[in-house]
Amino acid sequence: MEHVHLAAEDEDDLYSGYNDYNPTFDAEELDNDAGFQQAVRTSHGRRPPSRVPLSSSMGRPMTGAVQDGAARPMTAVRAAGYSSAVARGSTFDPLGQSKGPAPPLEAKNEDTPEEKIKIMEKKVNDLIEESCLAHSRGDLQLALDKAKEAGRKERALVRQREQTGTADAINLDLSYSVLFNLANQYDNNGMYPEALNTYQVIVKNKMFTNAGRLKVNMANIYFKQKNYAKAIKFYRMALDQISNVHKEMRIKIMQNIGVAFIRMGQYSDAITSFEHIMSESPNLKTGFNLILCYYAIGDRERMKRSFQKLISVPLGIDEEDKYIPANDDPHTNMVIEAIKNDQLHQMERERKALAEKFIMTAAKLIAPVIESSFAVGFDWCVDMVKSSVYVELANDLELSKAITYLRQRDFNQAAETLKTFEKKDSRVKSAAATNLSFLYFLEKDHDQADHYANLAMNADHYNPAALVNKGNVIFVREDYVKAAEFYKEALRNDSSCTEGLYNLGLAYKRLGRLEDALDCFLKLHAILRNSSQVMYQIANLYEMLEDPHQATEWLMQLISITPTDPHILAKLGELYDNEGDKSQAFQYYSESYRYFPSNIEVIEWLAAYYIDTEFCEKAIKYFERATLIQPTQVKWHLMVASCYRRSGNYQKALETYKETHRRFPENVECLRFLVRLSTDMGLKDAQDYATKLKKVEKMKEIREQRVKSGRESSARTRREGSAGSDSGQSSHGTSAKGERQGIKLRALPGSSEPYEASPQRDIDASYVDPLGPQLERPKTAAKKHTEEDEFADEEYMNDLLP
């Protein structure tokens, strides 16, 4: 109240002076005001004005102004934050910002037991979360370590509560989470006993509600351990503790019980579980398992009934028509385009594909057994499918019928079945024509194969299998450039067409474009990591490119996949032999011989290796093996005898020469060895063998003269021509007769000479050992791949079926 101005008693008129005004505000006299006019014309008016308290027109102070320490009352604006008690020099601050920032909050006292317990609980929760995240990343060991650490900290937390006297406030949810996560991580790491013990701790604790459901997890562990009886026991215990409200969970547990019965071979009990499920909540997997059980016990009628149940299981998905634009509304089309490939549609496609897989597999399984023949069974399945929502599968079943004919090698019936699709829709027609083309290609009827390949391409030009078949037909006609174009087109339509890529590499290989061929096979290797054919082609191309080190590396990779392939082992031996590494070559040749002891090149190399290392007695078994493989080749018998002689066993060598002479009486080399050995050993048979040797040499000389005469007569006849006199004709006839005799003598050996005898070697009077330094070691022992072996007509182009 000190600033309130009170009227004095001597003031008669309280409102006097209100009609007076300050001449400063008189706008009418501004034109005559010299100061105002000067301020307008110059910068005089920009000077900061002096603060002079304003007064009313009558000289009366304004509202809120302070004059002589007193202020006029401000009662009308108190609600806006003004106050009548404003001291001189104070500022307007209704929000109180001049007081500065608020004081800081008081720090929590972490030394209290409650705060320590909260911090420990947060750490346990963080460890559980880290364990789950590590499991989602696939780091199972880290997930287990975090789960164990969470268990240790949780036990420390319980002890802390007990010490502070708050044991009644134990967080049961946290304890349950720790134990449950630990059991899961034990299970994921394959530590089944530890997982079962942890689950047992949870189940036996009565304070955990609904812990009995975890017996399903325990049953799953027993199932993994193949303890099916105990798994069924725990499944049933879990089933007893789950109410009928949770129908879906009960169905899944019963399905697991049925699968466990199948593993135990108790098909009747499995059928009971599956039949109950199909009556309560039918699904595709259970229907398929039911068919398998009836197939196992051979019940035809129930197989049929179960198949009908399977094809009547509702999929629970919408029709595909909703993804087809029905009008030209851009907004609707935009929505359809957005949902055409969303997660919901992908799930629907996956479910439909799974249903078709189950139905097709079941039909192929039961068709041969439900009727007198598999053809009648397939027809029944096709009729059932046509009357269901899976009408489009009927054509696929017909194709499966044709493929079954192929597997039974009934090609005529297969062809007849496939020809019935020529009047069907384009997709089925293309698939059938593709199979027919492949069928005729295998039968080497390339014209028919070409015809049906064209038919398949006309029905569906984007069919990669048809393009590959067309390229195959052109490939066998040796038009490799055109064949490569078809393979390229197949790859453009389907980049995952491995047959086209493989055959394109072969076409480049035939064209001599080795780098391009290598590029194709390297790309194919990135797709088919463990394909032995692809790896062999890469190694072969590196060998052709004269890079033996790379070829060896790829063959070593190939051996890791097919360690018992004798031809690859022999090829490795050949490469090491060419590089001069005899020890490595001997190792791989020996391995090749161990897996395939009938490769004559490998046998010859190993025998020559032992002769070079002067272990002739070890070479004997390989030459004896060669005599068994090629019994009409006299050189192997001579090699055996010579090894006996070089090893000092002259008696055995003599017996072997005698046996060889008995089998090949006109062999000059064998007789010469017999003469020499008999003479050295002082035997009486030496003279007899010498006589036989002279006789055989004389016969050989006569025979060679006759052959030479026949050749000269034949040459002279060709020079004379067909024209000549009668005497010339007679002479020609004689020459022709001589030629025929020469041919006869050249073509047919003597009465006791073997037909496959090797050409005889001219031997000097002195004895020359046939196993001396002049023996050449074979340079190759690997199987030579012919065009038929190299061309992937069966192994790499038979996957043309849809």
Side-chain angles (χ1 to χ4, degrees):
M1 298 293 292
E2 59 183 356
H3 300 291
V4 177
H5 176 72
L6 298 178
E9 293 181 357
D10 54 351
E11 293 182 3
D12 297 333
D13 189 3
L14 293 176
Y15 301 98
S16 62
Y18 279 100
N19 293 327
D20 299 334
Y21 65 94
N22 194 335
T24 305
F25 301 104
D26 187 6
E28 296 177 357
E29 299 296 331
L30 289 179
D31 293 337
N32 301 323
D33 192 341
F36 179 78
Q37 294 298 327
Q38 182 183 2
V40 170
R41 289 192 298 268
T42 65
S43 62
H44 178 74
R46 298 180 185 177
R47 298 175 182 175
S50 59
R51 294 186 176 272
V52 178
L54 299 178
S55 60
S56 64
S57 59
M58 298 298 295
R60 192 164 173 259
M62 297 181 63
T63 303
V66 179
Q67 220 175 33
D68 299 329
R72 186 172 174 81
M74 299 175 62
T75 56
V77 290
R78 188 180 300 275
Y82 295 95
S83 173
S84 59
V86 179
R88 182 182 297 273
S90 63
T91 58
F92 176 72
D93 187 16
L95 300 179
Q97 296 178 357
S98 61
K99 297 179 181 180
L105 299 176
E106 295 183 2
K108 290 185 179 180
N109 187 4
E110 296 183 358
D111 294 334
T112 62
E114 292 79 6
E115 289 299 327
K116 289 182 179 180
I117 290 173
K118 288 182 179 180
I119 292 172
M120 293 180 70
E121 284 184 351
K122 185 177 185 305
K123 289 182 179 179
V124 173
N125 281 316
D126 291 341
L127 287 171
I128 294 174
E129 184 176 355
E130 290 174 8
S131 175
C132 296
L133 291 174
H135 174 259
S136 65
R137 295 192 302 267
D139 194 346
L140 302 182
Q141 186 59 45
L142 179 61
L144 179 59
D145 294 339
K146 293 292 184 181
K148 288 181 178 179
E149 187 177 355
R152 289 192 294 270
K153 289 190 176 297
E154 194 272 337
R155 288 191 294 272
L157 174 61
V158 172
R159 288 193 297 270
Q160 180 74 15
R161 286 187 178 276
E162 291 176 352
Q163 292 175 2
T164 56
T166 59
D168 296 338
I170 293 177
N171 191 343
L172 292 177
D173 293 338
L174 184 62
S175 301
Y176 182 90
S177 300
V178 169
L179 291 173
F180 181 68
N181 181 59
L182 181 60
N184 273 334
Q185 300 309 329
Y186 276 134
D187 185 11
N188 295 330
N189 283 270
M191 303 170 67
Y192 300 132
E194 292 82 355
L196 289 172
N197 293 335
T198 308
Y199 279 128
Q200 199 71 30
V201 171
I202 302 175
V203 171
K204 288 185 177 181
N205 194 334
K206 302 299 182 182
M207 292 188 295
F208 294 143
T209 58
N210 298 324
R213 296 184 181 184
L214 295 182
K215 291 183 179 179
V216 176
N217 295 25
M218 300 175 70
N220 291 339
I221 293 176
Y222 284 122
F223 189 92
K224 293 177 184 178
Q225 292 178 331
K226 299 184 179 180
N227 190 351
Y228 302 118
K230 208 158 188 178
I232 292 172
K233 175 184 175 181
F234 274 82
Y235 280 135
R236 286 177 170 170
M237 292 170 64
L239 200 62
D240 294 338
Q241 298 187 13
I242 297 175
S243 64
N244 294 328
V245 177
H246 305 283
K247 181 179 179 181
E248 187 175 354
M249 180 177 287
R250 292 178 61 87
I251 290 296
K252 290 181 178 180
I253 293 174
M254 291 192 68
Q255 187 170 345
N256 288 355
I257 293 173
V259 174
F261 276 127
I262 290 178
R263 294 296 180 89
M264 296 175 66
Q266 299 179 14
Y267 299 110
S268 299
D269 295 329
I271 288 171
T272 303
S273 298
F274 292 144
E275 286 285 6
H276 176 75
I277 296 173
M278 292 300 288
S279 62
E280 293 290 332
S281 178
N283 60 79
L284 294 168
K285 187 178 293 185
T286 303
F288 182 73
N289 288 337
L290 184 60
I291 292 174
L292 292 180
C293 292
Y294 283 129
Y295 178 83
I297 64 177
D299 194 333
R300 295 185 177 181
E301 293 301 322
R302 291 186 178 180
M303 272 190 273
K304 290 183 178 181
R305 191 169 68 243
S306 300
F307 185 77
Q308 292 174 341
K309 290 181 180 180
L310 178 63
I311 61 178
S312 61
V313 172
L315 285 179
I317 61 177
D318 296 332
E319 298 294 333
E320 291 289 331
D321 296 341
K322 71 177 183 180
Y323 299 106
I324 302 175
N327 49 35
D328 296 334
D329 184 6
H331 178 70
T332 304
N333 295 340
M334 187 180 300
V335 172
I336 293 175
E337 192 66 28
I339 66 174
K340 187 177 292 185
N341 199 33
D342 61 355
Q343 293 184 355
L344 177 61
H345 193 202
Q346 291 176 7
M347 185 197 71
E348 291 175 350
R349 285 200 298 262
E350 291 174 0
R351 184 178 295 182
K352 186 175 181 181
L354 182 63
E356 292 177 354
K357 177 185 176 181
F358 280 140
I359 293 172
M360 289 292 294
T361 307
K364 294 175 186 178
L365 180 68
I366 68 174
V369 297
I370 58 176
E371 299 292 348
S372 57
S373 66
F374 89 93
V376 180
F378 262 109
D379 292 339
W380 182 87
C381 292
V382 169
D383 293 338
M384 291 297 103
V385 170
K386 285 182 178 179
S387 61
S388 69
V389 295
Y390 304 99
V391 181
E392 63 272 10
L393 291 182
N395 293 326
D396 295 335
L397 280 176
E398 289 283 358
L399 286 175
S400 299
K401 179 181 176 181
I403 295 170
T404 307
Y405 277 126
L406 285 176
R407 290 173 178 166
Q408 296 180 352
R409 298 190 177 278
D410 191 350
F411 300 114
N412 294 328
Q413 285 292 337
E416 291 298 325
T417 305
L418 291 172
K419 287 178 181 177
T420 59
F421 290 93
E422 294 185 8
K423 297 182 180 180
K424 298 291 181 67
D425 63 299
S426 60
R427 184 186 68 85
V428 179
K429 181 179 180 180
S430 177
T434 300
N435 290 336
L436 278 170
S437 175
F438 172 67
L439 176 61
Y440 284 118
F441 185 83
L442 293 181
E443 293 181 344
K444 300 188 183 304
D445 188 350
H446 299 146
D447 293 334
Q448 286 292 333
D450 190 19
H451 168 70
Y452 282 103
N454 291 329
L455 190 63
M457 289 166 51
N458 293 334
D460 182 8
H461 192 70
Y462 297 99
N463 184 354
L467 293 167
V468 170
N469 281 356
K470 178 67 175 179
N472 294 345
V473 174
I474 298 174
F475 189 102
V476 297
R477 293 173 179 171
E478 299 183 359
D479 190 353
Y480 304 121
V481 176
K482 193 173 180 181
E485 292 299 324
F486 279 100
Y487 296 143
K488 289 178 183 178
E489 188 173 356
L491 289 171
R492 283 193 293 269
N493 294 337
D494 183 7
S495 59
S496 63
C497 181
T498 55
E499 297 85 5
L501 188 57
Y502 187 93
N503 293 337
L504 179 62
L506 292 181
Y508 283 147
K509 188 176 178 181
R510 295 295 179 86
L511 291 169
R513 298 168 59 179
L514 302 182
E515 294 290 346
D516 294 335
L518 182 62
D519 183 57
C520 291
F521 286 116
L522 289 174
K523 289 179 181 177
L524 191 58
H525 176 68
I527 302 172
L528 306 173
R529 302 295 299 180
N530 295 324
S531 174
S532 56
Q533 289 89 348
V534 174
M535 296 173 74
Y536 175 80
Q537 291 293 342
I538 294 174
N540 182 250
L541 284 168
Y542 274 121
E543 185 183 7
M544 296 173 68
L545 290 169
E546 299 181 356
D547 191 348
H549 296 290
Q550 282 290 338
T552 304
E553 288 294 327
W554 281 98
L555 288 177
M556 293 295 292
Q557 295 183 36
L558 179 55
I559 284 297
S560 66
I561 297 175
T562 57
T564 60
D565 191 324
H567 303 293
I568 302 303
L569 290 166
K571 189 66 180 177
L572 273 170
E574 177 192 351
L575 290 174
Y576 279 115
D577 186 26
N578 293 337
E579 292 178 3
D581 192 345
K582 300 296 182 184
S583 60
Q584 285 285 357
F586 172 73
Q587 177 185 348
Y588 287 110
Y589 274 126
S590 299
E591 286 293 305
S592 177
Y593 176 79
R594 185 164 69 91
Y595 291 116
F596 184 57
S598 299
N599 191 331
I600 197 67
E601 289 86 1
V602 174
I603 292 171
E604 190 173 358
W605 192 96
L606 288 171
Y609 175 82
Y610 279 119
I611 290 171
D612 283 350
T613 55
E614 298 183 356
F615 289 100
C616 298
E617 63 276 3
K618 292 186 177 180
I620 292 174
K621 73 171 185 177
Y622 295 105
F623 286 130
E624 287 179 344
R625 170 68 66 173
T627 61
L628 296 176
I629 298 172
Q630 295 179 348
T632 59
Q633 291 288 337
V634 67
K635 65 178 180 178
W636 306 125
H637 300 272
L638 296 176
M639 295 290 187
V640 173
S642 181
C643 286
Y644 279 124
R645 186 194 61 78
R646 289 171 65 91
S647 60
N649 194 347
Y650 297 106
Q651 186 62 37
K652 190 67 176 176
L654 182 61
E655 293 176 1
T656 306
Y657 279 128
K658 286 181 178 180
E659 179 64 23
T660 305
H661 174 64
R662 188 183 64 80
R663 297 187 63 180
F664 306 98
E666 296 185 4
N667 187 271
V668 176
E669 291 183 12
C670 181
L671 285 170
R672 287 177 178 173
F673 293 144
L674 281 171
V675 170
R676 180 62 184 270
L677 273 179
S678 300
T679 301
D680 293 344
M681 297 174 67
L683 300 178
K684 298 179 181 180
D685 297 338
Q687 188 61 37
D688 295 338
Y689 289 128
T691 303
K692 290 181 180 180
L693 177 60
K694 291 180 181 179
K695 183 178 179 181
V696 170
E697 288 179 343
K698 188 175 182 180
M699 291 176 61
K700 180 181 177 181
E701 184 179 354
I702 294 172
R703 188 178 301 160
E704 290 177 353
Q705 289 178 357
R706 290 178 178 175
V707 171
K708 184 177 180 181
S709 176
R711 289 177 179 174
E712 292 176 353
S713 299
S714 176
R716 187 168 56 253
T717 302
R718 285 196 298 270
R719 285 195 301 269
E720 290 177 355
S722 59
S725 61
D726 295 339
S727 60
Q729 291 177 358
S730 176
S731 175
H732 175 70
T734 305
S735 300
K737 183 177 180 181
E739 181 186 358
R740 286 194 298 271
Q741 287 179 349
I743 294 173
K744 182 177 180 181
L745 291 173
R746 184 170 66 250
L748 298 177
S751 59
S752 59
E753 181 180 354
Y755 282 89
E756 297 180 15
S758 61
Q760 307 302 323
R761 184 184 302 170
D762 293 334
I763 299 181
D764 193 57
S766 60
Y767 178 75
V768 179
D769 193 340
L771 297 181
Q774 73 276 12
L775 180 66
E776 294 184 358
R777 180 177 295 104
K779 293 298 183 184
T780 177
K783 179 181 178 183
K784 299 298 182 182
H785 285 251
T786 60
E787 293 184 0
E788 290 77 8
D789 293 332
E790 189 181 49
F791 187 64
D793 55 348
E794 186 169 359
E795 293 188 7
Y796 276 83
M797 289 178 290
N798 59 356
D799 194 14
L800 304 179
L801 307 180

